[in-house]
């Protein structure tokens, strides 16, 4: 067997370095993204030692983008998308135009022709899918109004970039030849592209809306978890590839629509869980691939140009987005959150810059500036959000402390504020899936005060208006656990199936109440040990309980022939 395996080598080296540097970054209280990007720089062609295959890294990163957008689509309905069209469409268009004009201004200052300026400006105008979604997920904003606006904005940007990538080859002769070009030749490619996008969306909404949920339910009824996982991945990757190959739509947009259609199924949460490990792994490879593109010496060769490029991305786009969101009547916090989300560039920028160089529109110097701006803006983005969190929290504290102040409005922050429950001596049930829903049903029958914490927005929506009070969010987050008032709770039942997440939840609850009864679920002896180490009072393992029930169902042995039948024992009350 040959040991020359560039694909395996790239995956192993990339993930190992990303883990080591990500853990180091986390140790110094810096975002792990910084470690992932530095891992890419170390395996890139501009540093000594091992050099990974860039084309292969880009393809692996594209799988990460596909799976990530598919996961977003699973929690995003068509109604959510349409509800933000009034701001997402004009907002994205104006923001793209503003960033493009700023980029063209820098290109003019550098002495580049107008075609180079147009490509350069467009490359600076579109945000990174992975970075934006990661930031929203970390702050539990994906299912909020702000999250829907940001994702809708991102979808409009993706569609605009798809049109740009199709139109650019047709436009190239107009910028490279002063005369002899007929602009009418642009109309046909543009009409074909728009027609393909419309056809793709129509097929997904008409055909996919029927076929995809039916397929998911059919495979689920086979009882094979392996086939179900394969069906989910085949749907995500197949729709993404079909969208790109047949309709000229981006992989990300195709995967997003596949997830959005699959969200119509009751099995969408299970589908999301099945793809989560792959989503995380390939998202890391995306950041590694970005780091591989960067020549660190560009900062030394072109310090002023790099600085202006970063300012356009971080400040120019942000100011434009802030102004647009405020003009549409949204709050200061919403405008700042959208601005922070869009203050970076990513995958489409690399594709557009590469196409511009291949068409002789953009000089290689321009591509280097785009790549440097991308990695620096991605590094700055977590700091931007951290500053935003502190600024809004400080402002809210100042308002609350002001003498003779009017009753304060609900606090605005980059994270969603969750009001503290008024329940006491209550049961906190974390997770409302198959196990959690059965537990809540039994507790409600006895009149037990119950608070449910559930992360899945669809399950939260089904609980609205019903008896158990519900908090939407991840119980591993301190703000969610604070809102559950576990200090006054009777006990906490952790019904989530993931023991790693369960351990974080248990630790949060134990930190707030040292004497609290905490019962968790597990699937193995190792998970039992893990949960008890983090503070669980008791851990229930499904296999153990099934075994106990089966043993209890075994009838006693028949007495020997001729022996007296023993008197039945008095019933024993359950402990």
């Amino acid at each position: 067997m040959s040991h020359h395996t560039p694909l395996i080598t790239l995956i192993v080296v990339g993930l190992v370095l990303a883990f080591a540097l990500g853990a180091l970054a986390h140790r110094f209280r810096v975002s792990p993204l910084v470690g992932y990007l530095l891992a890419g720089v170390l395996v890139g062609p501009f540093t000594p030692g091992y050099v990974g295959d860039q084309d292969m890294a880009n393809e692996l990163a594209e799988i990460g983008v596909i799976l990530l957008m598919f996961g977003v689509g699973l929690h995003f309905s068509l109604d959510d998308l349409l509800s933000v069209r009034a701001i997402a469409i004009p907002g994205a268009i104006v923001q793209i135009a503003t960033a493009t004009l700023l980029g063209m201004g820098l290109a003019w200052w550098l002495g580049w022709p107008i075609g180079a300026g147009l490509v350069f400006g467009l490359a600076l105008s579109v945000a990174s899918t992975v970075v934006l979604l990661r930031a929203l997920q970390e702050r539990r904003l994906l299912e909020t109004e702000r999250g829907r606006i940001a994702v809708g904005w991102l979808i409009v940007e993706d569609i605009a970039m798809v049109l740009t990538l199709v139109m650019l080859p047709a436009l190239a002769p107009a910028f490279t030849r002063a005369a002899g070009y007929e602009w009418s030749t642009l109309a046909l490619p543009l009409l074909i592209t728009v027609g393909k996008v419309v056809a793709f969306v129509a097929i997904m909404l008409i055909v996919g809306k029927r076929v995809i949920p039916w397929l998911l339910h059919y495979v689920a009824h086979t009882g094979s978890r392996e086939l179900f996982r394969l069906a989910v991945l085949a749907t995500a990757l197949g729709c993404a590839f079909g969208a790109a190959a047949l309709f000229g739509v981006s992989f990300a947009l195709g995967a997003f629509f596949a997830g959005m259609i699959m969200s119509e199924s009751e099995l969408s949460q299970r589908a999301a869980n099945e793809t989560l490990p792959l989503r995380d792994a390939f998202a890391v490879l995306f950041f590694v691939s970005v780091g591989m593109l960067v020549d660190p010496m560009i900062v030394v060769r072109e310090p002023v140009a790099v600085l202006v490029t970063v300012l356009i991305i971080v400040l120019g786009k942000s100011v434009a987005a802030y102004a647009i969101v405020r003009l549409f009547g949204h709050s200061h916090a919403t405008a700042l959150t959208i601005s922070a989300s869009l203050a970076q560039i990513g995958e489409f920028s690399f594709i557009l810059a590469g196409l511009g160089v291949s068409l002789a529109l953009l000089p290689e110097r321009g591509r280097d500036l785009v790549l440097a701006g991308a990695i620096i803006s991605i590094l700055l983005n977590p700091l931007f959000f951290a500053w935003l969190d502190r600024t809004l929290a400080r402002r809210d504290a100042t308002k609350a402390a002001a003498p003779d102040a009017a009753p304060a409005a609900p606090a605005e922050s980059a994270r969603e504020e969750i009001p503290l429950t008024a329940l006491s001596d209550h049961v906190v049930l974390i997770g409302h899936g198959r196990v959690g829903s059965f537990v809540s049903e039994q507790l409600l029958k006895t009149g037990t005060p119950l608070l449910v914490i559930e992360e899945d927005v669809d399950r939260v929506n089904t609980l609205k208006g019903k008896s158990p009070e519900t908090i939407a969010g991840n119980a591993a987050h301190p703000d969610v656990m604070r809102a559950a008032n576990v200090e006054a709770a009777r006990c906490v039942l952790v019904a989530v199936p993931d023991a790693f997440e369960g351990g974080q939840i248990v630790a949060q609850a134990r930190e707030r109440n040292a004497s609290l009864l905490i019962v968790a679920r597990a699937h193995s002896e190792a998970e039992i040990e893990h949960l008890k180490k983090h503070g669980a009072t008791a851990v229930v393992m499904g296999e153990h309980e099934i075994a106990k029930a089966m043993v209890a169902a075994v009838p006693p042995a028949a007495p020997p022939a001729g022996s007296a039948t023993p008197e039945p024992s008095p019933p024993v009350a359950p402990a």
Side-chain angles (χ1 to χ4, degrees), residues 226-240:
E226 179 182 345
L227 277 179
F228 183 84
R229 184 183 294 120
L230 187 59
V232 173
L233 291 174
T235 300
L237 298 174
C239 288

mmCIF file of all heavy atoms in Angstrom, residues 226-240:
data_model
loop_
_atom_site.group_PDB
_atom_site.id
_atom_site.type_symbol
_atom_site.label_atom_id
_atom_site.label_comp_id
_atom_site.label_asym_id
_atom_site.label_seq_id
_atom_site.Cartn_x
_atom_site.Cartn_y
_atom_site.Cartn_z
ATOM 1 N N GLU A 226 -27.731 3.833 10.577
ATOM 2 C CA GLU A 226 -26.704 4.040 9.550
ATOM 3 C C GLU A 226 -27.325 4.569 8.256
ATOM 4 O O GLU A 226 -26.822 5.515 7.648
ATOM 5 C CB GLU A 226 -25.974 2.724 9.288
ATOM 6 C CG GLU A 226 -24.898 2.811 8.223
ATOM 7 C CD GLU A 226 -24.241 1.467 7.962
ATOM 8 O OE1 GLU A 226 -24.414 0.547 8.803
ATOM 9 O OE2 GLU A 226 -23.587 1.326 6.934
ATOM 10 N N LEU A 227 -28.444 3.954 7.835
ATOM 11 C CA LEU A 227 -29.118 4.419 6.619
ATOM 12 C C LEU A 227 -29.693 5.816 6.802
ATOM 13 O O LEU A 227 -29.678 6.628 5.867
ATOM 14 C CB LEU A 227 -30.238 3.442 6.241
ATOM 15 C CG LEU A 227 -29.832 2.197 5.446
ATOM 16 C CD1 LEU A 227 -31.055 1.328 5.181
ATOM 17 C CD2 LEU A 227 -29.167 2.596 4.127
ATOM 18 N N PHE A 228 -30.210 6.108 7.995
ATOM 19 C CA PHE A 228 -30.767 7.438 8.233
ATOM 20 C C PHE A 228 -29.684 8.503 8.123
ATOM 21 O O PHE A 228 -29.869 9.545 7.482
ATOM 22 C CB PHE A 228 -31.425 7.488 9.611
ATOM 23 C CG PHE A 228 -32.087 8.803 9.907
ATOM 24 C CD1 PHE A 228 -33.379 9.050 9.465
ATOM 25 C CD2 PHE A 228 -31.432 9.806 10.614
ATOM 26 C CE1 PHE A 228 -34.007 10.265 9.734
ATOM 27 C CE2 PHE A 228 -32.031 11.009 10.875
ATOM 28 C CZ PHE A 228 -33.328 11.246 10.428
ATOM 29 N N ARG A 229 -28.536 8.246 8.761
ATOM 30 C CA ARG A 229 -27.429 9.205 8.678
ATOM 31 C C ARG A 229 -26.975 9.383 7.235
ATOM 32 O O ARG A 229 -26.687 10.500 6.789
ATOM 33 C CB ARG A 229 -26.269 8.723 9.552
ATOM 34 C CG ARG A 229 -25.113 9.704 9.614
ATOM 35 C CD ARG A 229 -23.966 9.157 10.431
ATOM 36 N NE ARG A 229 -24.333 9.001 11.832
ATOM 37 C CZ ARG A 229 -24.318 7.853 12.483
ATOM 38 N NH1 ARG A 229 -23.984 6.738 11.840
ATOM 39 N NH2 ARG A 229 -24.657 7.785 13.741
ATOM 40 N N LEU A 230 -26.904 8.278 6.509
ATOM 41 C CA LEU A 230 -26.489 8.341 5.109
ATOM 42 C C LEU A 230 -27.501 9.118 4.272
ATOM 43 O O LEU A 230 -27.123 9.890 3.378
ATOM 44 C CB LEU A 230 -26.326 6.924 4.558
ATOM 45 C CG LEU A 230 -25.730 6.791 3.149
ATOM 46 C CD1 LEU A 230 -24.346 7.423 3.095
ATOM 47 C CD2 LEU A 230 -25.664 5.325 2.739
ATOM 48 N N ALA A 231 -28.791 8.938 4.571
ATOM 49 C CA ALA A 231 -29.823 9.662 3.831
ATOM 50 C C ALA A 231 -29.709 11.164 4.055
ATOM 51 O O ALA A 231 -29.859 11.959 3.117
ATOM 52 C CB ALA A 231 -31.208 9.170 4.258
ATOM 53 N N VAL A 232 -29.431 11.560 5.288
ATOM 54 C CA VAL A 232 -29.293 12.990 5.594
ATOM 55 C C VAL A 232 -28.098 13.588 4.860
ATOM 56 O O VAL A 232 -28.196 14.649 4.220
ATOM 57 C CB VAL A 232 -29.152 13.197 7.121
ATOM 58 C CG1 VAL A 232 -28.831 14.650 7.431
ATOM 59 C CG2 VAL A 232 -30.429 12.767 7.832
ATOM 60 N N LEU A 233 -26.948 12.901 4.927
ATOM 61 C CA LEU A 233 -25.747 13.417 4.253
ATOM 62 C C LEU A 233 -25.917 13.419 2.742
ATOM 63 O O LEU A 233 -25.495 14.362 2.055
ATOM 64 C CB LEU A 233 -24.537 12.574 4.651
ATOM 65 C CG LEU A 233 -24.083 12.708 6.108
ATOM 66 C CD1 LEU A 233 -22.965 11.715 6.414
ATOM 67 C CD2 LEU A 233 -23.611 14.128 6.385
ATOM 68 N N ALA A 234 -26.541 12.361 2.197
ATOM 69 C CA ALA A 234 -26.752 12.299 0.756
ATOM 70 C C ALA A 234 -27.672 13.424 0.292
ATOM 71 O O ALA A 234 -27.457 14.028 -0.770
ATOM 72 C CB ALA A 234 -27.343 10.941 0.373
ATOM 73 N N THR A 235 -28.679 13.742 1.092
ATOM 74 C CA THR A 235 -29.586 14.837 0.735
ATOM 75 C C THR A 235 -28.859 16.170 0.756
ATOM 76 O O THR A 235 -28.985 16.982 -0.175
ATOM 77 C CB THR A 235 -30.774 14.872 1.714
ATOM 78 O OG1 THR A 235 -31.477 13.627 1.654
ATOM 79 C CG2 THR A 235 -31.724 16.006 1.363
ATOM 80 N N ALA A 236 -28.098 16.419 1.814
ATOM 81 C CA ALA A 236 -27.381 17.693 1.933
ATOM 82 C C ALA A 236 -26.367 17.873 0.805
ATOM 83 O O ALA A 236 -26.364 18.889 0.099
ATOM 84 C CB ALA A 236 -26.688 17.769 3.291
ATOM 85 N N LEU A 237 -25.497 16.881 0.642
ATOM 86 C CA LEU A 237 -24.445 16.998 -0.367
ATOM 87 C C LEU A 237 -25.013 16.909 -1.775
ATOM 88 O O LEU A 237 -24.560 17.615 -2.687
ATOM 89 C CB LEU A 237 -23.393 15.902 -0.143
ATOM 90 C CG LEU A 237 -22.647 15.971 1.200
ATOM 91 C CD1 LEU A 237 -21.751 14.763 1.372
ATOM 92 C CD2 LEU A 237 -21.827 17.243 1.299
ATOM 93 N N GLY A 238 -26.021 16.034 -1.965
ATOM 94 C CA GLY A 238 -26.607 15.881 -3.298
ATOM 95 C C GLY A 238 -27.307 17.139 -3.762
ATOM 96 O O GLY A 238 -27.153 17.555 -4.918
ATOM 97 N N CYS A 239 -28.096 17.765 -2.887
ATOM 98 C CA CYS A 239 -28.777 19.010 -3.266
ATOM 99 C C CYS A 239 -27.769 20.124 -3.531
ATOM 100 O O CYS A 239 -27.944 20.929 -4.462
ATOM 101 C CB CYS A 239 -29.746 19.438 -2.169
ATOM 102 S SG CYS A 239 -31.224 18.404 -2.057
ATOM 103 N N ALA A 240 -26.722 20.200 -2.713
ATOM 104 C CA ALA A 240 -25.706 21.235 -2.918
ATOM 105 C C ALA A 240 -24.997 21.043 -4.254
ATOM 106 O O ALA A 240 -24.813 21.994 -5.026
ATOM 107 C CB ALA A 240 -24.696 21.207 -1.773
#
